[in-house]
Amino acid sequence: NCSQESLSIMGDQDPNYSEELHKKIAVNRKLQTNLLNHADHSLEVAGDTLQSANLLKNVLLLLDAFIKE
């Protein structure tokens, strides 16, 4: 349970990802959760460099917006 504003970014292809756990933590109003489709633990898409670069751009935009809040 987070008491400070927090940001979570994870990929749905990460072996540590759990849909059940993601749903549990998503109810915390202090935690912004972001699930990246097709991304692994490194937030990359296996075999797709262009999509991986696109995801990285999106992650940077999420971080920028979070920091500016």
Side-chain angles (χ1 to χ4, degrees):
N1 201 2
C2 295
S3 59
Q4 298 179 357
E5 296 292 329
S6 302
L7 177 66
S8 168
I9 302 172
M10 65 182 82
D12 65 358
Q13 298 303 305
D14 184 334
N16 298 308
Y17 169 70
S18 160
E19 184 176 359
E20 181 181 334
L21 180 58
H22 180 71
K23 287 179 181 180
K24 283 183 182 180
I25 66 172
V27 298
N28 187 329
R29 293 177 189 232
K30 296 278 187 179
L31 178 64
Q32 287 183 27
T33 59
N34 297 274
L35 183 62
L36 304 178
N37 293 326
H38 312 293
D40 62 16
H41 187 75
S42 299
L43 302 180
E44 297 176 333
V45 178
D48 193 339
T49 305
L50 194 55
Q51 182 62 18
S52 296
N54 215 14
L55 283 177
L56 179 57
K57 180 186 93 172
N58 291 337
V59 167
L60 292 173
L61 290 170
L62 288 167
L63 286 169
D64 186 54
F66 179 77
I67 291 167
K68 289 180 178 177
E69 286 184 357

